[in-house]
Amino acid sequence: MTRLAAKGSDFDVTFWCPDARTFFPSESDAAFHILRWVRHFLLTDLETRNQIEYVEYVDAKVPVLRIKTKKGLEVDLSSCTEPFVSGIQNSYLIRGYASWDERFAPLCMLVKDWAGRNDVKNPKVGGFNSYAMVLLVVHFLQCGVDPPILPNLQKIYPEKYAHNENGIIRFPTAIDFSDDAFSHADLGKQFLFFIHKYLTFSLCQDSHHRLSAIS
């Protein structure tokens, strides 16, 4: 969906159940019980169990069920009972940037691969997660190159990336910007510029630059 998938990528799935929120004191408590129920079903239903290699509950800031099928498909299942589903909003936003410029997705894949090999992308030990690495690429292409390659899509198309409006839950709209793609640039050179940008990054000097992908 985000156009950042590569061979061997897993699926990130959100189980959205807003009505369940009334039965639990908090979002985290609801997520804990819902995922435990799903895990119980996967492990006890005979037909389903025979297709599952393992199911692991990962207790994190956003708890997930890590599922792997015997065919090798890996799924991270999270639960959300809030009206605003940030994961879905984020996916549509990333897809928008990937559609805007053809260099965005390959650069994200290269940066994430480099970060994974060098333990920069390792949230278990306090490192970045995949989405954070993508936001760094967004920031770089908005503020680290001149002229900017990526715009602020939420500012240009607020109606397409809206949150809740007048109590009505609105999901973002997928937009295809293929006709607006910029000319190709050397991916290796873009990656080196990316590394240089954050090697010399000063939080004080660049505090006026915001990660525009964050609403």
Side-chain angles (χ1 to χ4, degrees):
M1 176 181 173
T2 61
R3 300 186 179 180
L4 300 187
K7 184 178 181 180
S9 294
D10 62 359
F11 280 96
D12 292 323
V13 179
T14 299
F15 182 80
W16 186 49
C17 189
D19 293 337
R21 182 65 178 82
T22 58
F23 300 102
F24 300 97
S26 66
E27 166 70 11
S28 59
D29 190 61
F32 173 81
H33 285 89
I34 290 173
L35 293 179
R36 288 296 178 116
W37 289 335
V38 173
R39 180 177 180 272
H40 176 75
F41 170 79
L42 293 175
L43 294 177
T44 56
D45 181 76
L46 183 60
E47 183 178 354
T48 305
R49 185 180 62 188
N50 290 336
Q51 302 178 45
I52 300 295
E53 183 173 323
Y54 69 79
V55 181
E56 176 189 7
Y57 177 81
V58 180
D59 188 14
K61 184 177 181 180
V62 179
V64 298
L65 273 188
R66 190 151 292 159
I67 307 165
K68 184 175 182 179
T69 70
K70 291 183 178 179
K71 292 185 177 181
L73 178 64
E74 297 184 14
V75 179
D76 281 352
L77 175 66
S78 61
S79 169
C80 180
T81 59
E82 298 289 351
F84 177 67
V85 189
S86 60
I88 295 176
Q89 299 278 344
N90 295 341
S91 295
Y92 274 105
L93 188 60
I94 293 173
R95 178 188 173 93
Y97 284 122
S99 300
W100 183 274
D101 190 281
E102 295 178 355
R103 292 168 290 187
F104 174 70
L107 183 58
C108 283
M109 301 305 296
L110 181 57
V111 167
K112 290 200 294 182
D113 181 70
W114 164 82
R117 293 174 185 271
N118 291 276
D119 260 354
V120 176
K121 183 173 74 71
N122 191 348
K124 291 183 178 180
V125 295
F128 293 103
N129 59 23
S130 291
Y131 183 61
M133 298 306 304
V134 171
L135 290 184
L136 288 176
V137 175
V138 171
H139 177 262
F140 166 68
L141 295 178
Q142 288 177 334
C143 306
V145 293
D146 188 20
I149 292 175
L150 294 182
N152 183 336
L153 290 181
Q154 290 169 301
K155 184 175 182 179
I156 299 175
Y157 302 100
E159 74 284 357
K160 301 298 183 182
Y161 297 101
H163 297 174
N164 298 349
E165 188 173 281
N166 299 324
I168 300 175
I169 300 172
R170 294 183 57 200
F171 287 104
T173 304
I175 309 175
D176 191 348
F177 300 103
S178 298
D179 294 337
D180 298 316
F182 287 74
S183 59
H184 290 282
D186 182 81
L187 180 60
K189 186 176 294 185
Q190 287 287 342
F191 175 70
L192 292 177
F193 281 139
F194 171 86
I195 297 297
H196 181 265
K197 163 70 178 177
Y198 289 107
L199 280 175
T200 59
F201 183 82
S202 171
L203 185 60
C204 294
Q205 293 178 359
D206 294 344
S207 60
H208 63 285
H209 290 314
R210 302 295 182 184
L211 289 181
S212 301
I214 301 178
S215 57

